[in-house]
């Protein structure tokens, strides 16, 4: 990755050269962003992307709860939305409008307080609205695509567009949102409900997550997608991978579809452990697990420092 500090378009927010990502990525590993950009607002982001060299890759990042940042860092621009873009508002017809930086729990809580049911599962998604919309995040039998009405995106060219849910082409943990586009707002819709009943369901989800997932560890959430008709954790367990380690990276003993950084693991350790798990599962059951965690950036030993995006 280049150390040349080249000029960027005007920005009202902040742009940090070699900005640390490991400071907030859940695994607490990985190299820096060539540029870590925090725009002031949607207009600021739009103007910035419109003026940015179109050859420069752009990667939106929320709280990094489902991300491996490789040790060589991320070339180009990483966009992180500010807290000012995390507002949540209730609208008529049982709708909730949320900024791209809002956390799932904030959206679920606002819906509960307004007596809007159907968004409780967002309590179990530890990421931002932008990330949930992009990857069709889901939990407890529901997906973001089930509740999304529309979302506002800033395209890589700087255009601000409002997309109806159908335009995202949703499938399991996937959307057709193009590379470099940033989700800045979303509108969700639920149904009328009793706040007490909604709150009880959210409490149940929170308790179930606490009991079954290593929430207090340095992790990246669910590592692999569930294959059709099966559970990734069950295949990993059957292949004898529970507790498997590589350096300070470990397959969680509590939930073996979670990888952990026990303290000093590198991103390379974590990714290599994941690939070892995939190989063992393939050998044992014939199933080829697909990564759910996004892996971005360049390897530290990549001498060419080739620009790469999400894999």
């Amino acid at each position: 990755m280049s150390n040349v500090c080249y000029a960027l378009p005007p920005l009202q927010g902040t742009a940090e050269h070699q900005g640390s990502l490991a400071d907030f990525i859940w695994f607490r590993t990985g190299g820096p962003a060539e540029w870590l950009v925090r725009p002031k607002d949607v207009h600021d982001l739009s103007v910035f992307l419109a003026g940015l060299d179109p050859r420069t890759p752009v990667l939106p990042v929320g709280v990094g709860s489902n991300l491996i940042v490789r040790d060589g860092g991320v070339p180009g621009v990483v966009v992180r939305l500010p807290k000012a873009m995390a507002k949540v508002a209730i609208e008529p017809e049982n709708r909730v409008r949320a900024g791209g930086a809002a956390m799932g729990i904030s959206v679920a809580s606002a819906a509960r307080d307004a007596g809007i049911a159907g968004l409780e599962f967002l309590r179990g998604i530890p990421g931002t609205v932008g990330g949930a919309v992009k990857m069709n995040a889901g939990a407890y039998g529901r997906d973001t695509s089930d509740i999304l009405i529309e979302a506002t995106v800033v395209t890589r060219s700087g255009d601000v567009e409002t997309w109806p849910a159908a335009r995202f082409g949703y499938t399991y943990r996937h959307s057709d949102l193009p590379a470099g586009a940033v989700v800045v707002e979303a509108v969700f819709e639920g149904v009328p409900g009793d706040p007490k009943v909604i709150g009880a369901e959210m409490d149940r989800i929170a308790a179930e997550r606490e009991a079954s997932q290593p929430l207090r560890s340095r992790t990246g959430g669910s590592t692999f997608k569930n294959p059709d008709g099966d559970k990734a954790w069950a295949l990993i367990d059957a292949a004898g991978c529970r507790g498997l380690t590589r350096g300070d990276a470990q397959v969680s003993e509590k939930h073996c579809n979670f990888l952990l950084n026990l303290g000093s693991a590198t991103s390379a350790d974590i990714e290599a452990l994941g690939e070892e798990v995939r190989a063992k599962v393939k050998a044992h059951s014939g199933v080829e697990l697909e990564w759910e965690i996004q892996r971005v950036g360049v390897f530290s030993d990549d001498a060419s420092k080739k620009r790469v995006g999400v894999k």
Side-chain angles (χ1 to χ4, degrees), residues 21 24-25 33 35-37 39 45 49 56-67 69 74-81 100-101 128-132 134-135 153-156 177-184 294 296 309-310:
L21 300 177
F24 64 89
I25 294 298
W35 285 101
L36 179 56
V37 169
L45 176 61
L49 291 180
T56 304
V58 173
L59 176 70
V61 173
V63 292
S65 57
N66 192 237
L67 197 65
V69 175
V74 181
V77 169
V78 171
V79 173
R80 193 173 191 214
L81 301 181
T128 62
V129 163
K134 178 184 178 181
M135 69 171 291
V153 305
V154 180
T155 68
R156 174 60 185 82
L177 190 71
V182 184
V183 177
V184 294
Q294 303 293 292
V296 300
V310 176

Side-chain angles (χ1 to χ4, degrees), residues 9-15 37-48 82:
L11 184 73
Q12 291 180 298
T14 63
V37 169
R38 296 178 176 89
K40 179 184 178 182
D41 51 28
V42 174
H43 177 71
D44 192 28
L45 176 61
S46 172
V47 171
F48 175 81

